[in-house]
Amino acid sequence: NKKAFVELLFWKSPATVYEMTQGYSSLQEGEGTTRSRVPPWTPQEEQELRELYWKYKEVEGGDIIAAILAHLPTPGRTRRQVVKQLVRM
């Protein structure tokens, strides 16, 4: 590719660099992105999250997110994922 030098002028993610060196479309669909690693929230998980939020939001001096994480039935969710989902909902 004669114009590859132009691409080197801008910051790249590791996935983009891999594509540049191995050929474009060398990554599978969604591979190498953060979104593909985060499992989507199911409607049941969203309902449980909503119920836990309403249960623990009135607790004084407590960390709401920590309480939700402790009682969330699906293991593996991070604090950041829970906060982002609450804000989205």
Side-chain angles (χ1 to χ4, degrees), residues 8-56:
L8 297 175
L9 298 175
F10 303 98
W11 287 102
K12 301 289 181 217
S13 68
T16 306
V17 172
Y18 180 81
E19 278 194 331
M20 286 175 59
T21 58
Q22 300 300 320
Y24 293 101
S25 301
S26 59
L27 289 177
Q28 298 296 326
E29 182 67 30
E31 186 179 326
T33 61
T34 306
R35 291 186 186 276
S36 65
R37 295 183 209 143
V38 178
W41 288 81
T42 64
Q44 294 83 11
E45 289 175 328
E46 286 182 357
Q47 182 62 30
E48 183 69 26
L49 182 62
R50 189 174 290 113
E51 290 171 5
L52 288 171
Y53 172 74
W54 286 108
K55 180 179 178 182
Y56 293 111

Side-chain angles (χ1 to χ4, degrees), residues 41 48-49 52-53 55-56 63-79 82:
W41 288 81
E48 183 69 26
L49 182 62
L52 288 171
Y53 172 74
K55 180 179 178 182
Y56 293 111
D63 185 9
I64 297 171
I65 305 301
I68 290 173
L69 282 171
H71 293 92
L72 204 59
T74 308
R77 295 286 184 188
T78 63
R79 182 179 184 91
V82 170

